[in-house]
Amino acid sequence: MSIFWWVAIAIAVIWFISSLRSKSKAHRSFAASDDAEPWFEAQGIDSESVMFSSYEDPQLSRVPGSTVLCGYGKGPEGDVGFAIEVISGRGVVASEVIQPSGIASHHRTASMQAKASGRPLLDVLAEMAEVHRTRHPQ
C-alpha cells in the first residue's frame, strides 16, 4: 500500500473523530439552552431569538460542572445580553444580564482575560459592561 493511502486513511480517521466530538459538544450546548429556557422566560427574552456561544472549561465557571452560555436575545425593549451557567437537570445556576448587549459578543476576549486572571467568565463580562457604561453614559 502506498504512502498516499496511509495518509488518506489517517486524515479520514482524524476527521471522523473530530466530527463526533463536535457533534457531542453541540448536543450538550443545545441541551444547556433547553435547561435555560425558564430563565430566558423570566428575563423576558424570546428563546427563539437567542444566539449564544458555549464554554465547558471549568476555569471559566463560578459553579463546578456548569456550561457557560454567552450571547443575546430579543427582549421587550430590544436586545438583551446574557452570560449564564447551566447544569443539566438543574437549569441556570449563575447569571449576569449584560447591558449593553453588544458586550456579550466580546466573550472570546473576556474568556482569555478570565483564564489569565483566574476569574469566572461571568464576572469578567459583567465588569466589561460596567466599564463601558461608565465610559459611555447615556
Side-chain angles (χ1 to χ4, degrees), residues 66 90 98 107:
S66 63
R90 288 182 49 196
I98 308 296
H107 58 87

Side-chain angles (χ1 to χ4, degrees), residues 37-110:
E37 189 96 23
W39 185 87
F40 292 137
E41 187 177 311
Q43 301 302 314
I45 299 172
D46 175 16
S47 61
E48 295 294 318
S49 71
V50 169
M51 300 292 289
F52 64 89
S53 293
S54 66
Y55 294 89
E56 294 194 10
D57 187 336
Q59 295 177 1
L60 297 177
S61 62
R62 290 179 184 165
V63 180
S66 63
T67 299
V68 181
L69 304 181
C70 302
Y72 59 91
K74 298 282 184 203
E77 297 177 19
D79 285 346
V80 177
F82 63 86
I84 58 177
E85 293 186 17
V86 182
I87 294 180
S88 181
R90 288 182 49 196
V92 175
V93 294
S95 65
E96 292 288 340
V97 174
I98 308 296
Q99 290 296 345
S101 62
I103 297 297
S105 68
H106 297 280
H107 58 87
R108 285 191 181 99
T109 301

